[in-house]
């Protein structure tokens, strides 16, 4: 990376020597204001080109680094600060101490490396010599080296701007190809802005420069405001493109029973004995053998249960067992579910189309059924992409899915819990390890990373990490999110709402980012309880309640004279 000739370069200090590790150095500065924690600085060196460098011979190169610690090493005596009525500077001048400023700081810098447009950052394993000048990295330099894609370019997602600079000065644009193919995790505490950040990401994926095929598994029903993208001028392409938003309400979710595996059905049924589970497994295998390509129903499974429930008496005679009736009762209860049917289902073509986000709302569905629905959809999508890529299905087949897709899962710890058995977790592990080859990307969103399976989390190669205070969740990130770096993870409790650490495959190096403002309305805002309580006592509300609770007006008594009515 050749040295910029801009005249506005800012010298912030002089190198003192190496730091505690082989990738750290220390510089001294008298002004700590422009060199805050996490700020980017660089030093310059001249070297000959290597086989892995595209630089010119003898050029000056900039080696980028990030400030990780600050220590005050020289200042006025502490006693000068003990009396709040004294001015320490005035006292220092009286005794002949005239150095300005009076403070010196020792800053530790972790080397990121020299940037190469082809290979990215290359750590030279070569520390600067004492006396070398350290410069504050310019905005233009950071925009060029932090982002894998230029903001606004095809395949870029403008998520916000660098936190330590003026808003908008250094836009952060993510590489969508890496983001959706190597999987994503959005991790945050409650109220830190995780769903807001996910909304910004979906807006970028559906913009004219990306036009992605996205499915959101939405357990809370808070993404329906994305419908505002329809007709919004910011999302319209020059060729007439505009994104489509499809919302599937809970009452319209249909999963075909024959798409369920044995353990899916086991999740939906009440607790069973070992014998009942064994009989159900035999019956499930039997119906799948009898209907290898067709669709079977719960009644087919019940008949198979009665067929396989056989026992031998002491004389060796085979007779019906005693478990079939109980199993049939449990299966009939499952048959009454609103979400599992013999023939109706949601094929991949209904869920995925380029330029469309499909929102599967599950906010009225019990947790066990949510898990099975998510499992069935993830498994079906994975099989559709594999079979399409390998040419096993034709365009007329309902499993034909000829383009890459991205699935965003809210409350991911519900579907891949850390310490509980889960069929959905097993499917997710398969997709996260193999999905990249077949164009199936997954994004996991959770407010409890400590409750999310560590194997699942570790396979998400891009991470968005917002404010997290819970010590258990912080500890889980140290082992599951290595790309962010320990120095940035220490900043988690101090982050404000809308501030995010972005690390992994979608950026060249971890960055602290300020999330941009959404173009659509956020649907996950916390209810204003005091305002709603006050509204209860508003005159209009009180009148409405009086009208609703008032009985019918009494019928007037007829006027009579004697026994004759005057009416």
């Amino acid at each position: 990376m050749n040295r910029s000739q801009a005249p506005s370069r800012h010298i912030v200090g002089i190198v003192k020597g190496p730091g505690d590790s082989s990738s750290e150095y220390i510089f001294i500065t008298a002004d700590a204001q422009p060199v805050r924690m996490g700020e980017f600085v660089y030093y310059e060196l001249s070297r000959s080109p290597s086989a892995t460098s595209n630089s010119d011979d003898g050029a000056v190169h900039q080696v980028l680094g990030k400030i990780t610690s600050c220590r005050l090493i020289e200042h006025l005596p502490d006693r000068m600060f003990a009396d709040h009525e004294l001015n320490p500077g005035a006292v220092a001048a009286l005794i002949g101490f005239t150095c300005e400023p009076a403070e010196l700081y020792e800053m530790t810098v972790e080397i990121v490396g020299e940037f190469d447009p082809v290979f990215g950052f290359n750590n030279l394993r070569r520390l600067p010599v004492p006396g070398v000048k350290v410069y504050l990295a310019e905005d233009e330099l950071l925009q060029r080296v932090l982002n894998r894609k230029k903001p606004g370019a095809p395949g870029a997602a403008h998520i916000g701007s660098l936190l330590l600079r003026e808003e908008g000065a250094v836009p952060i644009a993510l590489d969508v190809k890496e983001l959706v193919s190597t999987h994503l995790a959005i991790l945050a505490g409650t109220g830190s802005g995780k769903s807001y950040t996910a909304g910004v990401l979906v807006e970028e994926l559906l913009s004219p420069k990306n036009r992605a095929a996205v499915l959101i598994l939405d357990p809370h029903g808070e993404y329906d405001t994305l419908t505002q993208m329809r007709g919004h001028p910011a999302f319209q392409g020059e060729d007439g493109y505009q994104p489509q938003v499809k919302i599937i309400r809970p009452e319209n979710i249909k999963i075909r029973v024959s798409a369920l595996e044995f353990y899916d059905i086991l999740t939906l049924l009440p607790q069973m004995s070992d014998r009942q589970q064994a009989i159900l497994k035999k019956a499930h295998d039997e119906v799948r053998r009898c209907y290898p390509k067709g669709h079977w129903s719960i009644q087919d499974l019940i008949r198979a249960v009665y067929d396989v429930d056989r026992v031998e008496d002491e004389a060796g005679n085979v007779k019906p067992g005693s478990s079939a009736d109980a199993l049939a009762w449990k299966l009939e209860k499952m048959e009454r579910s609103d979400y599992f049917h013999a023939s109706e289902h949601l094929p991949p073509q209904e869920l995925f189309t380029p330029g469309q986000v499909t929102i599967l709302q599950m906010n009225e569905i019990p947790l066990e059924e949510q898990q099975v629905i998510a499992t069935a959809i993830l498994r079906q999508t994975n099989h559709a992409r594999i079979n399409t890529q390998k040419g096993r299905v034709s365009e007329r087949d309902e499993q034909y899915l000829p383009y890459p897709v991205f699935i965003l899962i809210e409350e991911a710890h519900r579907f891949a819990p850390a310490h509980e058995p889960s069929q959905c977790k097993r499917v997710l592990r398969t997709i996260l390890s193999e999905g990249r080859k077949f164009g199936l990307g997954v994004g996991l969103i959770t407010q409890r990373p400590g409750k999310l399976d560590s194997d699942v989390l570790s396979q998400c190669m891009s991470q968005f990490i917002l404010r997290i205070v819970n010590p258990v969740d912080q500890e889980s990130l140290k082992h599951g999110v290595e790309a962010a770096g320990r120095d940035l993870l220490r900043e988690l409790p101090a982050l404000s709402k809308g501030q995010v650490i972005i690390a992994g495959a979608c950026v060249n190096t971890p960055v602290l980012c300020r999330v941009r403002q959404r173009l659509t309305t956020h649907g996950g805002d916390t209810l204003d309880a005091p305002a709603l309580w006050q509204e209860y006592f508003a005159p209009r509300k009180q009148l409405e309640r009086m009208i609703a609770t008032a009985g019918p007006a009494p019928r007037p008594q007829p006027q009579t004279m004697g026994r004759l009515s005057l009416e």
Side-chain angles (χ1 to χ4, degrees), residues 314-385:
E314 295 179 356
N317 299 316
V318 178
K319 61 180 183 179
S322 59
S323 299
D325 288 338
L327 273 174
W329 177 81
K330 294 175 181 179
L331 288 169
E332 286 171 351
K333 182 179 179 181
M334 173 183 165
E335 189 178 27
R336 293 191 292 271
S337 169
D338 295 329
Y339 314 110
F340 304 100
H341 298 261
S343 57
E344 295 182 73
H345 77 132
L346 296 170
Q349 291 91 336
E350 287 190 24
L351 298 176
F352 300 101
T353 300
Q356 173 179 296
V357 54
T358 302
I359 303 166
L360 199 71
Q361 292 188 339
M362 301 189 290
N363 48 306
E364 300 175 5
I365 303 176
L367 177 59
E368 291 78 9
E369 293 182 312
Q370 284 187 18
Q371 291 177 338
V372 175
I373 290 169
T375 302
I377 289 175
L378 288 167
R379 184 191 298 119
Q380 173 184 259
T381 306
N382 189 36
H383 290 168
R385 284 298 300 148

Side-chain angles (χ1 to χ4, degrees), residues 260-274:
L260 303 181
E261 293 188 353
F262 167 69
Y263 288 102
D264 300 333
I265 297 175
L266 208 59
T267 302
L268 295 171
L269 299 181
Q271 189 172 3
M272 295 186 292
S273 65
D274 291 344

Side-chain angles (χ1 to χ4, degrees), residues 2 42 66 103 135 238 264 289 376 424 435 448 485 498:
N2 292 334
Y42 67 89
K66 184 186 298 181
E103 298 82 15
Y135 301 90
E238 296 180 356
D264 300 333
R289 185 186 65 81
C424 189
R448 291 305 311 273

Side-chain angles (χ1 to χ4, degrees), residues 73-281:
I73 59 173
E74 185 173 312
H75 58 94
L76 296 173
D78 293 343
R79 184 164 295 278
M80 290 187 180
F81 300 94
D83 190 341
H84 66 275
E85 295 183 356
L86 294 179
N87 183 332
V91 174
L94 287 174
I95 62 176
F97 188 89
T98 57
C99 293
E100 288 289 341
E103 298 82 15
L104 288 180
Y105 297 89
E106 185 179 83
M107 316 297 291
T108 301
V109 179
E110 183 178 4
I111 295 177
V112 176
E114 176 200 3
F115 182 73
D116 186 281
V118 177
F119 299 102
F121 281 106
N122 174 32
N123 193 334
L124 304 177
R125 306 294 177 187
R126 179 177 163 188
L127 295 173
V129 297
V132 169
K133 295 176 182 178
V134 179
Y135 301 90
L136 184 68
E138 298 85 11
D139 291 345
E140 184 276 336
L141 167 65
L142 292 177
Q143 181 174 332
R144 188 170 69 249
V145 303
L146 297 182
N147 298 320
R148 287 180 177 267
K149 291 282 187 178
K150 292 182 178 180
H158 174 218
I159 203 73
S161 59
L162 192 64
L163 179 61
L164 296 178
R165 301 298 171 93
E166 293 294 328
E167 186 169 0
V170 183
I172 299 298
L174 312 180
D175 187 341
V176 172
K177 175 186 173 183
E178 294 295 328
L179 191 73
V180 302
S181 63
T182 62
H183 314 299
L184 162 72
I186 300 178
L187 313 170
T190 303
S192 298
K194 64 184 188 309
S195 298
Y196 189 98
T197 303
V200 170
L201 178 61
V202 173
E203 289 179 352
E204 289 296 313
L205 292 176
L206 271 294
S207 66
K209 60 181 178 289
N210 289 310
R211 312 186 184 197
V214 181
L215 170 67
I216 302 176
L217 302 185
D218 182 10
H220 298 307
E222 59 187 22
Y223 285 90
D224 54 357
T225 57
L226 289 171
T227 54
Q228 297 171 12
M229 289 192 294
R230 299 173 183 155
H232 195 295
F235 298 98
Q236 294 179 353
E238 296 180 356
D239 58 353
Y241 164 82
Q242 62 177 5
Q244 299 301 311
V245 182
K246 181 177 183 179
I247 298 178
I248 301 178
R249 309 287 181 188
E251 60 269 20
N252 297 321
I253 295 177
K254 311 296 179 185
I255 300 297
R256 185 180 290 157
V257 172
S258 56
L260 303 181
E261 293 188 353
F262 167 69
Y263 288 102
D264 300 333
I265 297 175
L266 208 59
T267 302
L268 295 171
L269 299 181
Q271 189 172 3
M272 295 186 292
S273 65
D274 291 344
R275 172 170 170 74
Q276 288 177 337
Q277 291 187 34
I279 291 171
L280 183 61
K281 180 68 168 66

Side-chain angles (χ1 to χ4, degrees), residues 463-465 484 488-489 491-492 495 499-503 511-512:
Q463 302 93 30
F464 290 16
I465 312 171
L488 283 180
L489 292 180
E491 297 291 317
L492 287 178
L495 294 179
Q499 297 176 352
V500 56
I501 299 170
I502 301 178
V511 294
L512 271 170

